[in-house]
Amino acid sequence: VSPGSHPLLANNFAVKIDAGRHVLISGSEAKRTRNGFGLGSNLGGQPPGEDIVLERCLSHDNGAADQAAGVFIGGALDVAIRNCIFWGHHPSPAAGQGAITYFSNQTGLPSTVAIQNNTFYGNRLPDIVVFPAPNLTVVVENNIFHRSGIAGGFLSAAGAAPIVDSDYNQFYISGGDASSAAFAVGAANDGFLQWQAHGQDAHSVFL
């Protein structure tokens, strides 16, 4: 998908990748859709997308009805999201979704979602939401997270939590501090210091 894609209407997705391998989406914008960029497979009998890269993209003001996401990953394997900006995702209700939502790993095959060098700003939804998925590793590195309120949090992965590898990030909550419960992974709902005590974000900072 080439630069200059600027969908404006509240369609389900600005860009939807159902299947295919080695796909690059670069320099595009998703706004005023339900789920922004859709990465996965919902076509009967089709294999899931694989090795998909979303880079240098802008996703904002997405969400309609009971769905809301800047990126909705519905089964794709090995996804990289890097150098993107996510802001202004705050429709209600949002069905538990986030600015980046990983919804399912349809095949159960080992898969990695790498979220690196992105900026999250002013999202009332959680910044990253991961639904229960087998054999999933989520890498969160070198991102800037700026929240204008405590509600929502930076990362939510309730239930059967994936493997999370998070470090070298910067976190900020207006009206909150390092004790604010902003990391809900598995059965825990941790503040930043508790999150670090679990071995996460050892080199990250909370401002």
Side-chain angles (χ1 to χ4, degrees), residues 51-147:
D51 186 19
I52 299 175
V53 176
L54 185 74
E55 68 175 16
R56 298 190 300 105
C57 291
L58 175 63
S59 182
H60 62 98
D61 297 303
N62 294 296
D66 63 344
Q67 296 186 30
V71 175
F72 186 90
I73 305 169
L77 299 173
D78 295 330
V79 174
I81 302 171
R82 58 196 185 210
N83 301 310
C84 296
I85 299 174
F86 300 90
W87 65 275
H89 294 93
H90 50 76
S92 180
Q97 295 179 200
I100 294 178
T101 300
Y102 189 96
F103 188 72
S104 66
N105 182 351
Q106 297 176 356
T107 64
L109 296 172
S111 181
T112 298
V113 176
I115 303 170
Q116 299 166 313
N117 303 309
N118 303 287
T119 299
F120 298 82
Y121 179 82
N123 297 302
R124 295 184 191 175
L125 303 177
D127 292 312
I128 300 171
V129 170
V130 181
F131 283 76
N135 296 320
L136 176 67
T137 299
V138 180
V139 177
V140 183
E141 292 179 337
N142 295 311
N143 301 285
I144 297 174
F145 297 88
H146 185 293
R147 300 194 63 82

Side-chain angles (χ1 to χ4, degrees), residues 120-205:
F120 298 82
Y121 179 82
N123 297 302
R124 295 184 191 175
L125 303 177
D127 292 312
I128 300 171
V129 170
V130 181
F131 283 76
N135 296 320
L136 176 67
T137 299
V138 180
V139 177
V140 183
E141 292 179 337
N142 295 311
N143 301 285
I144 297 174
F145 297 88
H146 185 293
R147 300 194 63 82
S148 57
I150 296 173
F154 302 117
L155 175 63
S156 176
I163 298 171
V164 177
D165 183 3
S166 185
D167 208 354
Y168 299 101
N169 300 293
Q170 177 179 302
F171 302 97
Y172 173 80
I173 298 179
S174 175
D177 55 32
S179 67
S180 301
F183 302 88
V185 176
N189 193 15
D190 294 335
F192 181 65
L193 298 180
Q194 293 171 302
W195 178 243
Q196 284 188 312
H198 294 314
Q200 301 290 347
D201 282 292
H203 304 94
S204 300
V205 294

